[in-house]
Amino acid sequence: MAITEQQFEEAQARAAATRQAGHAVAARYDRKHGRVVVSLHNGVELAVPVELVEGLADAAPDDLADIEVTPAGLGLHWPKLDADVYVPALMQGVFGSRRWMAAQLGATGGKATSKAKADAARANGRKGGRPPKTATA
């Protein structure tokens, strides 16, 4: 696929605008609080718990501590984990792929308790609870 000079210039302009909105100048792993702290060019620091970020939740602290900021400042890379995070997405609260985020939201929703859920569980308990599983031949 050939890229024209105009397309290249437009891409550079988009990248510059994205960088201006916020790019990382440093990143570190805060072991005490279990979070990644990203320092942005404007002095703002963004702290994100590692359990919220796709690919980081089950990583060892030593692996999490080895963070590289990409030259443009738009990405973070963990070489030992082969994990990458897009800084503008972190700033928007997007901590992984759509599929991964949907799975996280679904798991959280399944853990939710409500009055309706509690009432249904009590009613089911009064009926003897779940029927036992039977072996089929």
Side-chain angles (χ1 to χ4, degrees):
M1 176 176 148
I3 297 175
T4 66
E5 188 68 30
Q6 180 182 355
Q7 290 172 322
F8 183 73
E9 289 171 6
E10 289 170 357
Q12 283 185 312
R14 285 192 307 272
T18 302
R19 272 183 52 83
Q20 194 57 34
H23 65 273
V25 293
R28 64 183 171 81
Y29 174 60
D30 176 359
R31 289 174 190 259
K32 182 177 179 182
H33 297 101
R35 59 190 183 176
V36 174
V37 180
V38 183
S39 300
L40 302 178
H41 75 289
N42 57 7
V44 171
E45 284 194 338
L46 176 67
V48 181
V50 293
E51 65 267 8
L52 294 180
V53 182
E54 183 177 11
L56 303 184
D58 298 323
D62 288 340
D63 294 340
L64 291 167
D66 186 13
I67 306 172
E68 298 172 354
V69 177
T70 61
L74 297 177
L76 304 176
H77 177 68
W78 285 263
K80 294 178 183 174
L81 304 172
D82 192 27
D84 296 285
V85 173
Y86 187 52
V87 173
L90 279 181
M91 293 172 19
Q92 294 174 357
V94 177
F95 306 119
S97 67
R98 282 185 185 192
R99 184 178 197 167
W100 185 83
M101 292 282 292
Q104 298 307 306
L105 289 170
T108 302
K111 294 178 187 173
T113 58
S114 67
K115 183 176 179 345
K117 239 180 167 178
D119 291 345
R122 273 191 222 92
N124 192 38
R126 283 192 289 274
K127 295 177 187 175
R130 286 183 190 246
K133 292 185 178 180
T134 57
T136 57

